[in-house]
Amino acid sequence: MAHFTALKDFLYTQQPKDQNENDLSKVLLDLAEASKIVSKDVCRAGLVDGFLGAQGGQNIQGEEQQKLDVIADNAFIDVLEKGGAVCGIASEENEDFVSFDNDKSRSGKYVVLFDPLDGSSNIDVNVSIGTIFSIYKRISPSNQPASIDDMLQKGTAQVAAGYVLYGSSTMLVYTSGNGVNGFTLDPNTDTFCLSHADMKMPVKGRYYAMNEGNINECNPKIIDYIRYCQSRNNDYGSPYSGRYIGSLVADFHRNLIKGGIYIYPCTINAPEGRLRLLYECNPLAFISEQAGGMSSTGTARIMEIKPEKLHERVAFFTGSKSMVEKAIAFLK
Ligand code: AHG
Ligand code: MN
Ligand code: MN
């Protein structure tokens, strides 16, 4: 088998050798370790009592929590808390952010915001799901508890972001502002190995992803745009292919590799949009831009929004640059 660079070695060669950057590598390695635990849990979910199905509660978003949502959330929190490079986290599954208060973590230089398991509706049916994460430098004084201001930073302040896709293989894709790299988990060695170096999103593609069940619940300009996608008068000269997995990570990953657009506009049921700015849209926006793609609310660059609350929702248009630009043009 060809030799592939392990994530750990890749980080070592890529990062400047100052202590702060080493700490960022530590955060990324901790996230990778937690995701390996989740990957194993996802793979054997059907065999273990208490892994599949609903937890029996709702998260702060009023959404039914799945058992694996909670298991994944705990796995990431445990590993990050013990790791010591992170002073606090915010996650989809917790109403408030969590400040780590053990001696080691209190002085952690970073905060992590994450969606521990993305694509909840696909957990029980063996369809790809994921984890999405965003990393910021703390702005609160070190040795103090993490604060809400650490969490509510603009996406432009992200120092790294990524996702893990639990698909036909498990992949970790991340950026620290110097391009996008993808690592496949080798199940034989339990090692993330560089398989997709310097990923670039094609400028245009022929896939569009939207939950079209909502089409009559949107701004009519969205209907016009979807008709354009389905027509022969688009830039492809033939209808785009519709692909909607319902796991944002999986839909995004396909578009990153093949080219395409994902849209989740405002709807009657989700008047501000469905997806969460801090731990779904900002990290994917950072990756899309680093890969040459684009992410917008339809009127504003995602990463320039000043967040006002942890679980803030926004409309989301992300993918190949020329396709997102075209969608935005339809909204004018
Ligand atoms: P989550 O499972 O973390 O709540 O996120 C689900 C998200 C996203 O993954 C997906 O693209 C979208 O919500 C699906 O929503 P619909 O079922 O409304 O299409
Ligand atoms: Mn999600
Ligand atoms: Mn989730």
Side-chain angles (χ1 to χ4, degrees):
M1 198 170 93
H3 175 75
F4 291 96
T5 305
L7 174 64
K8 185 161 156 278
D9 298 332
F10 180 84
L11 287 169
Y12 185 77
T13 55
Q14 292 287 306
Q15 307 290 354
K17 296 289 168 275
D18 77 56
Q19 189 50 40
N20 279 337
E21 298 301 339
N22 288 341
D23 284 356
L24 179 59
S25 297
K26 167 78 174 138
V27 179
L28 287 162
L29 288 170
D30 284 350
L31 286 164
E33 283 312 306
S35 76
K36 288 182 199 172
I37 298 170
V38 173
S39 180
K40 288 199 181 88
D41 288 347
V42 167
C43 281
R44 64 198 179 107
L47 301 172
V48 183
D49 229 13
F51 271 24
L52 292 182
Q55 172 80 7
Q58 289 188 337
N59 64 18
I60 174 64
Q61 341 258 340
E63 293 165 347
E64 189 180 61
Q65 275 179 320
Q66 304 300 304
K67 288 173 185 162
L68 271 175
D69 284 328
V70 177
I71 291 166
D73 193 43
N74 289 335
F76 280 97
I77 292 175
D78 279 359
V79 172
L80 291 172
E81 182 165 22
K82 286 181 191 131
V86 169
C87 64
I89 62 96
S91 125
E92 180 190 349
E93 303 306 332
N94 297 289
E95 178 168 1
D96 291 322
F97 68 93
V98 178
S99 178
F100 297 149
D101 67 357
N102 67 57
D103 286 345
K104 196 170 160 201
S105 290
R106 200 175 298 128
S107 58
K109 297 185 180 74
Y110 295 95
V111 293
V112 180
L113 291 81
F114 56 89
D115 176 354
L117 217 47
D118 172 68
S120 294
S121 69
N122 286 323
I123 292 174
D124 285 355
V125 292
N126 204 359
V127 172
S128 298
I129 50 181
T131 294
I132 315 175
F133 61 84
S134 178
I135 306 173
Y136 294 85
K137 275 195 178 132
R138 72 183 302 173
I139 52 178
S140 56
S142 68
N143 274 317
Q144 299 284 314
S147 76
I148 185 71
D149 293 338
D150 294 325
M151 309 294 165
L152 298 183
Q153 301 187 56
K154 283 187 187 175
T156 48
Q158 290 173 101
V159 292
Y163 59 81
V164 183
L165 175 61
Y166 311 105
S168 43
S169 61
T170 293
M171 270 192 78
L172 185 152
V173 174
Y174 91 95
T175 183
S176 53
N178 188 23
V180 178
N181 289 284
F183 300 79
T184 299
L185 182 62
D186 179 345
N188 292 333
T189 59
D190 210 25
T191 307
F192 279 108
C193 299
L194 181 63
S195 51
H196 295 62
D198 196 18
M199 300 174 85
K200 294 288 178 217
M201 194 174 250
V203 176
K204 58 184 184 179
R206 48 172 291 251
Y207 292 114
Y208 77 100
M210 178 194 171
N211 180 345
E212 286 185 70
N214 291 328
I215 194 76
N216 296 319
E217 310 269 304
C218 307
N219 178 338
K221 291 172 178 172
I222 298 289
I223 303 178
D224 293 342
Y225 174 66
I226 294 298
R227 289 223 174 96
Y228 164 85
C229 293
Q230 296 168 338
S231 79
R232 292 192 162 268
N233 298 326
N234 61 28
D235 61 354
Y236 185 61
S238 179
Y240 297 158
S241 288
R243 293 281 189 280
Y244 188 73
I245 295 168
S247 294
L248 173 61
V249 168
D251 281 307
F252 181 89
H253 186 72
R254 180 197 56 251
N255 291 342
L256 174 59
I257 291 178
K258 300 265 190 189
I261 184 168
Y262 174 99
I263 76 176
Y264 210 116
C266 303
T267 64
I268 292 171
N269 282 339
E272 283 157 9
R274 159 133 177 51
L275 297 171
R276 279 59 57 108
L277 173 62
L278 290 177
Y279 42 79
E280 292 180 316
C281 303
N282 266 335
L284 297 185
F286 192 14
I287 293 170
S288 70
E289 290 192 10
Q290 284 290 315
M294 187 173 177
S295 295
S296 169
T297 63
T299 53
R301 183 181 171 212
I302 288 287
M303 290 206 291
E304 285 176 4
I305 300 169
K306 173 69 185 95
E308 287 175 1
K309 52 185 185 191
L310 278 184
H311 302 287
E312 187 165 331
R313 295 176 191 260
V314 285
F316 196 39
F317 297 72
T318 188
S320 292
K321 190 159 186 284
S322 74
M323 298 175 89
V324 175
E325 283 170 346
K326 189 73 179 177
I328 291 170
F330 268 86
L331 290 173
K332 287 196 170 124

